[in-house]
Amino acid sequence: MKQRVSALLREKFGREVVLEKPRDRSFGHFATPIAFSLAKELKQSPMAISEELASSFEENDVFSKVESVKGYLNFRLSEGFLSQYASWVLQNHSEFAKQEKKEKLLLEFVSANPTGPLHIGHARGAVYGDTLYRLAKHLGYDITAEYYVNDAGNQIDLLGLSIQLYGRENILKESVEYPQSYYRGDYLAPLAQKAVEKFGIEILSDESRQKELAIWAKDGVMELIVKTLADTNIHFDTFVYESTLYDDWDRVMSKMGDGVYKKDDKIYIASSQKGDDSDRVVVREDGRATYLAGDIVYHNQKFERSYDHYINIWGADHHGYIARVKAAVEFLGYDSNKLEVLLSQMVSLLKDGEPYKMSKRAGNVILMSDIVDEIGSDALRFIFASKKSDTALEFDLAEFKKQDSSNPIFYIQYAHARIQTILSKSTLTQDEVMNASLTNLDESADILLFDALLLPEIVDDAFHSRGVQKLPEYLKSLAASLHKFYYDYKILGTPNEAKYLKIFMVVGLSLRVGLSLMGIKAKDYMSKEIEE
RNA sequence: GCGUCCGUGGCUCAAUUGGAUAGAGUUUCGGACUUCGGAUCCGACGGUUAUAGGUUCGAAUCCUAUCGGGCGCACCA
């Protein structure tokens, strides 16, 4: 819709025209401040220019009115155009808001270590990433969702140790002394139990077998993580394991050429040449590679797989890492501008107004799976998708558990359910509704229809600006328009029944598509009890 | 100290990326059911967009400084 209008104006003015939503709908459907930018070039007042432009529009199919208000140029779409578009949308509902982009994208997100279950902080990045993924897919991009599994390094050894400690205390009933760092949590119980079944009881006490134990156990932890994600409708196309990458290290290192150098028996990457604060160690004196080395091999592998654009979603605590990874990409001979790192800011929890500190090792974590159990996947997704990802999010646990009408997800679902109910109660046939011509609409009906047809613009904007919160924002306001219209107008048994139902069908479609892009299934009816 | 993200009604968040009178929800108060689902709708209260300068037709948004907060600043991942 917007594309159509935009193309029309581009043709007329010979330049790209910024189209926006007017502040007040009575001004029209679209507006542009083009006169302001022309004012300087033409040395005329914006008012005069917009007046002139407005009067230069002749009769056409798309606009019913073009007028100038305080320098803004406002466009009102013709009923014929809107009506035609609405019919097209209903007949081609599977094409609604879709595009055909050709680019290949690689989106890496979550990538939590396989040493414990996902906590509430991971949930934010997971929801953000999956929503972007769904948007991109809908827009026709060839996008791959990837999870990078850090299954090498100290934290894996620590997992082995932690299982042993748990088993010795709870199965062997020994009294054990806990070192400073180890993992704890209920998830260790089944791991310890299964380890005993698989390896025998002696696995718990043999320190030399920690690594063996950990390598086995990490798969179990990954299963846990994948299940939690699946419960939230989040799926990955590919998993890349850090442990499989190091064989490639020598080749990758030589590929970087002068980007790496040896000093004091260690190998450094000269990342300070590429904007990093200092050079970084990639191989230690004893020959063990650092974490960064793994990331370098991984990113080399990503670029060798050849995508048009790469998006990483990292927690904000990793932002210091961006410069060094980008430096490595440059040394490898690739364009680091193709790598886009999005940070999802921390989630801080309050409990009864007091800051609630999370520490994985201390075990007092809020698990993602616990939240899903309590409020459901839909509410979790909605809440996290509603906030801009670059703002630290703070919420009270009590608030999060609330499950009443203040929760916007219920509000939107109810709007959709209302539409389904009224459609099923109508005695009109499908054809009678579909063939209704959407003309002579009054202001409210026109606005409702136009809002419902706006989904394609929202989807496009939400993805390209990486601002997924625009989608829930839109759905809330569309639901509000629907509820208001529903309250103000009687529909069944009136002369306008077919018209209004047709508009409702478009609204329902927008809500349904919008929700599905958030990984939420629209409901056709709401049960009386409040439950998921 | 350096880097980075931020600071918007009492609270949680928006604001078409520089555009028209800064909007929603929540809280508080007051209204609307002989109506298709009242899980709804309407109204009121509530703002110097942290502060001070600057840039221009126009600033919550860009620049500078100050104040306040989160997160980094490993040969840990």
Side-chain angles (χ1 to χ4, degrees):
Chain A
M1 187 161 66
K2 192 171 176 178
Q3 276 98 340
R4 178 78 193 282
V5 173
S6 180
L8 206 81
L9 295 180
R10 197 183 310 123
E11 200 177 311
K12 182 166 175 65
F13 295 136
R15 63 162 72 198
E16 205 57 46
V17 178
V18 181
L19 272 187
E20 27 188 72
K21 194 169 83 183
R23 184 56 71 194
D24 186 335
R25 272 297 159 68
S26 63
F27 287 143
H29 294 116
F30 287 112
T32 177
I34 187 171
F36 291 102
S37 32
L38 286 174
K40 210 175 251 174
E41 299 171 32
L42 301 177
K43 298 210 183 342
Q44 284 179 31
S45 84
M47 297 282 286
I49 294 170
S50 65
E51 293 288 348
E52 201 185 317
L53 290 177
S55 59
S56 76
F57 278 86
E58 295 145 20
E59 288 281 309
N60 69 60
D61 297 343
V62 179
F63 303 123
S64 63
K65 191 163 87 176
V66 180
E67 62 176 349
S68 145
V69 181
K70 292 203 285 189
Y72 285 83
L73 209 51
N74 296 324
F75 305 94
R76 179 170 293 277
L77 297 171
S78 72
E79 287 189 326
F81 176 74
L82 284 176
S83 177
Q84 237 175 32
Y85 185 46
S87 296
W88 181 88
V89 163
L90 290 176
Q91 277 154 24
N92 303 275
H93 56 267
S94 59
E95 294 303 309
F96 189 34
K98 285 202 174 163
Q99 295 179 17
E100 276 308 318
K101 304 275 186 184
K102 292 287 172 239
E103 278 174 59
K104 267 183 83 182
L105 307 181
L106 182 64
L107 175 67
E108 181 216 327
F109 61 111
V110 185
S111 297
N113 292 342
T115 53
L118 298 176
H119 58 67
I120 196 67
H122 295 127
R124 187 177 195 183
V127 169
Y128 183 52
D130 185 67
T131 310
L132 275 182
Y133 176 78
R134 287 167 185 269
L135 289 170
K137 260 239 141 102
H138 200 79
L139 291 172
Y141 287 101
D142 179 2
I143 186 169
T144 302
E146 185 156 288
Y147 190 121
Y148 178 50
V149 185
N150 290 117
D151 61 341
N154 288 344
Q155 84 277 12
I156 283 295
D157 300 342
L158 221 47
L159 174 63
L161 169 69
S162 304
I163 293 172
Q164 287 187 336
L165 288 171
Y166 183 94
R168 282 169 53 202
E169 181 170 50
N170 296 287
I171 297 175
L172 300 178
K173 305 292 178 197
E174 295 175 13
S175 74
V176 292
E177 262 181 50
Y178 284 102
Q180 269 196 329
S181 42
Y182 68 99
Y183 302 117
R184 53 190 287 181
D186 295 340
Y187 73 100
L188 293 171
L191 287 176
Q193 199 62 52
K194 281 188 202 156
V196 170
E197 287 163 24
K198 183 172 172 66
F199 298 102
I201 196 86
E202 58 281 2
I203 190 85
L204 296 178
S205 312
D206 189 346
E207 278 182 36
S208 68
R209 297 181 68 185
Q210 266 174 20
K211 189 133 204 156
E212 179 190 353
L213 179 59
I215 287 170
W216 165 82
K218 69 156 204 266
D219 291 335
V221 178
M222 275 310 288
E223 272 174 37
L224 211 61
I225 289 174
V226 167
K227 172 162 192 319
T228 301
L229 291 169
D231 287 344
T232 322
N233 285 332
I234 298 172
H235 302 276
F236 285 86
D237 299 314
T238 51
F239 291 82
V240 173
Y241 289 83
E242 182 185 6
S243 56
T244 65
L245 295 174
Y246 287 106
D247 290 346
D248 212 15
W249 173 242
D250 289 338
R251 184 180 71 87
V252 172
M253 193 160 58
S254 61
K255 193 170 171 181
M256 287 192 287
D258 294 339
V260 287
Y261 62 89
K262 202 164 186 176
K263 187 185 160 195
D264 305 333
D265 291 327
K266 295 175 234 180
I267 297 175
Y268 287 78
I269 178 168
S271 51
S272 61
Q273 288 173 23
K274 302 280 185 188
D276 195 7
D277 296 335
S278 66
D279 292 351
R280 310 287 171 178
V281 174
V282 286
V283 181
R284 289 170 272 227
E285 284 173 283
D286 59 9
R288 281 156 53 233
T290 63
Y291 174 75
L292 178 59
D295 253 349
I296 293 171
V297 186
Y298 176 42
H299 280 83
N300 177 65
Q301 191 241 41
K302 278 187 180 180
F303 275 85
E304 284 183 352
R305 285 192 278 155
S306 187
Y307 289 83
D308 296 308
H309 192 71
Y310 304 82
I311 303 174
N312 293 355
I313 297 175
W314 287 352
D317 54 341
H318 282 62
H319 83 256
Y321 241 75
I322 299 175
R324 62 192 79 166
V325 170
K326 285 202 166 204
V329 168
E330 291 278 322
F331 284 131
L332 287 164
Y334 300 108
D335 179 3
S336 66
N337 290 319
K338 285 188 174 180
L339 176 65
E340 176 184 358
V341 180
L342 301 174
L343 298 177
S344 97
Q345 290 290 329
M346 302 289 103
V347 177
S348 48
L349 290 172
L350 295 176
K351 197 172 189 180
D352 306 321
E354 291 292 310
Y356 193 90
K357 275 283 172 194
M358 274 192 300
S359 155
K360 201 172 195 175
R361 307 218 165 128
N364 60 343
V365 292
I366 312 297
L367 299 184
M368 181 170 167
S369 53
D370 288 345
I371 304 286
V372 173
D373 288 345
E374 277 190 63
I375 65 168
S377 155
D378 291 356
L380 172 89
R381 290 193 65 124
F382 199 91
I383 289 166
F384 280 138
S386 300
K387 321 289 180 185
K388 269 190 306 199
S389 67
D390 55 1
T391 314
L393 170 61
E394 194 173 83
F395 61 84
D396 202 302
L397 279 179
E399 197 74 16
F400 209 66
K401 288 176 188 170
K402 264 166 73 174
Q403 206 181 158
D404 54 27
S405 61
S406 71
N407 190 337
I409 189 71
F410 287 95
Y411 186 78
I412 295 168
Q413 291 283 24
Y414 183 40
H416 186 263
R418 272 187 148 169
I419 292 170
Q420 300 312 311
T421 307
I422 201 166
L423 283 172
S424 68
K425 283 193 177 164
S426 169
T427 53
L428 297 180
T429 65
Q430 180 95 352
D431 282 350
E432 282 172 309
V433 173
M434 290 293 280
N435 291 332
S437 157
L438 300 179
T439 49
N440 295 320
L441 298 176
D442 49 40
E443 190 72 18
S444 320
D446 177 88
I447 289 175
L448 183 61
L449 173 62
F450 178 74
D451 280 350
L453 290 172
L454 220 44
L455 180 75
E457 280 74 45
I458 304 295
V459 170
D460 191 81
D461 185 29
F463 178 72
H464 290 107
S465 68
R466 315 296 189 224
V468 300
Q469 80 282 357
K470 289 166 197 277
L471 185 55
E473 204 63 36
Y474 165 74
L475 294 175
K476 265 191 283 186
S477 82
L478 181 57
S481 302
L482 186 278
H483 284 307
K484 181 165 171 48
F485 189 87
Y486 184 94
Y487 184 84
D488 289 340
Y489 290 77
K490 178 133 172 75
I491 293 151
L492 294 183
T494 70
N496 289 321
E497 180 171 344
K499 261 197 260 185
Y500 290 162
L501 288 182
K502 186 170 178 181
I503 294 175
F504 274 28
M505 283 177 72
V506 180
V507 175
L509 179 63
S510 270
L511 291 175
R512 204 152 52 239
V513 173
L515 285 174
S516 79
L517 288 171
M518 297 181 67
I520 298 171
K521 198 167 182 324
K523 293 182 178 174
D524 289 343
Y525 54 86
M526 309 291 282
S527 54
K528 202 69 183 169
E529 290 77 25
I530 295 174
E531 58 185 17
E532 314 172 18

